[in-house]
Structure formats: structure tokens, C-alpha cells
Amino acid sequence: MPRSRASVALLLIDWINDLEFDQGDRILKQALAAAKATAALRRRAKQAGVPVIYCNDNFGKWRSDFRATLDHVLKDGVRGQPLAELLAPDEHDYFVLKPKHSGFHSTSLDVLLDYLGVRTLILTGIAGNFCVLFTAQDAYMRDFKLVVPGDCIASEDEADNRHALEHMAKVCKADTSPSPAIDFISLTGDSVAGRPRSRRSEDLPC
């Protein structure tokens, strides 16, 4: 079976989260609007044939997996349940568990992105000033083009979220325009949404 190829991927960082910790209620208050915007963006990404990758913390539970975390957040009456209900994955999505803040640190994300042929990353998630920021910095060092829609990330404090966006825009050269401004056809180079772009010979795997 030929491998799927995609020049762009949408990352959902730590959205599947019970938020059962100090200040979790503050993140939830900020995150609900961002989750709704991310859900709309996810629908558009899937319509355009852009892969969706859930990059989620394992919260120190080394015997768990992503499905166990999802079941916990959806079924155990935790604070983060509304976010998971908006952003629950389907069978076509990818997922990567991470042990620390960055989606790249000690994970298979590099390998997955290389397998898919991704060069542009759209980052969404919580918290904007920690896990999204750290992932953006690691992505920038790997020469990915970055899009971090400002309405699709959230932090405990609005000022911290704003500062994180400013940092990613200035240092990581990220486009932080709101998600409705994202044009998947332009990003992927497609003439028709969902149609794989033709690749030059030097882009093809050996």
C-alpha cells in the first residue's frame, strides 16, 4: 500500500486533558473558545486531506496509552471533558504520546512527519505558553514552516498567551493569524483541496 504524503499537518497538543490540577479551571475558561475554533479548523483540515496528529502528554502514567487517556477524560466526569467532546479523534487520526513539554522530545513525531513528507506544521493546543511554545521552538529548529493560529491556543493567563504568540511570531517566524485565515489550498500547493500536489523528483523518497 503506497504511503500517504502530505506537505502540511495539523497538530493538536494536549487537548485531551483532564485538567484536574491547580489552575485547571483557569485554563478551561480560556480554552473552550480555542477548542471550538480548533474543532472547526480540524474539520476543514480533514476536508482538505491534511492529516491530524494528536500530540498528547502521558501525564506521567507510563502504563497508559492515548485511548486510555481519552476514555478517562470522556467518561470520568473530569474538568476537561468539554474539550475532549469537542476534539475527540477518529480512526483516521494519528497520535503521539510525549513525556515532556515539546511534542518532539523523546517521541516518534520526527519519524512520523518525515514519513508523511510534512514541511509545514499548524500548531494548536494548551497551554500556549508551555507545550505549544516548546513544540514550536523545536519545530523551528528543524526548519518547519509554522502556523500557530492565535484563536486556537490557550493558557492560564491571557497575557501569557499573548506573549507566547508574540514570541512564536518573532523568534519562530510563525504565522499567528486567526484560523479562518488559513488557506489549505495555498499551504499545500493544491489546485483542488484534498488533491496531492505534484512533487519534484528531488522531493521523492529514494
Side-chain angles (χ1 to χ4, degrees), residues 74 114 147 168:
L74 285 174
D114 183 64
V147 179
M168 288 184 279

Short mmCIF file of all heavy atoms in Angstrom, two decimals, residues 74 114 147 168:
data_model
loop_
_atom_site.label_atom_id
_atom_site.label_comp_id
_atom_site.label_asym_id
_atom_site.label_seq_id
_atom_site.Cartn_x
_atom_site.Cartn_y
_atom_site.Cartn_z
N LEU A 74 -13.24 11.45 28.74
CA LEU A 74 -14.61 11.47 28.24
C LEU A 74 -15.62 10.87 29.22
O LEU A 74 -16.80 11.26 29.23
CB LEU A 74 -14.70 10.70 26.92
CG LEU A 74 -14.14 11.40 25.68
CD1 LEU A 74 -14.17 10.45 24.50
CD2 LEU A 74 -14.92 12.67 25.36
N ASP A 114 8.43 12.92 8.93
CA ASP A 114 9.28 12.56 7.80
C ASP A 114 8.58 11.54 6.90
O ASP A 114 8.63 11.63 5.67
CB ASP A 114 10.61 12.01 8.31
CG ASP A 114 11.57 11.68 7.18
OD1 ASP A 114 11.98 12.61 6.46
OD2 ASP A 114 11.90 10.49 7.01
N VAL A 147 2.61 27.63 11.43
CA VAL A 147 1.38 28.40 11.54
C VAL A 147 0.82 28.10 12.92
O VAL A 147 0.61 26.94 13.28
CB VAL A 147 0.36 28.00 10.45
CG1 VAL A 147 -0.93 28.81 10.61
CG2 VAL A 147 0.95 28.16 9.06
N MET A 168 6.48 33.41 19.37
CA MET A 168 6.49 32.47 18.24
C MET A 168 6.50 33.21 16.90
O MET A 168 7.13 32.76 15.95
CB MET A 168 5.30 31.51 18.34
CG MET A 168 5.46 30.49 19.46
SD MET A 168 4.13 29.25 19.57
CE MET A 168 2.87 30.17 20.47
#
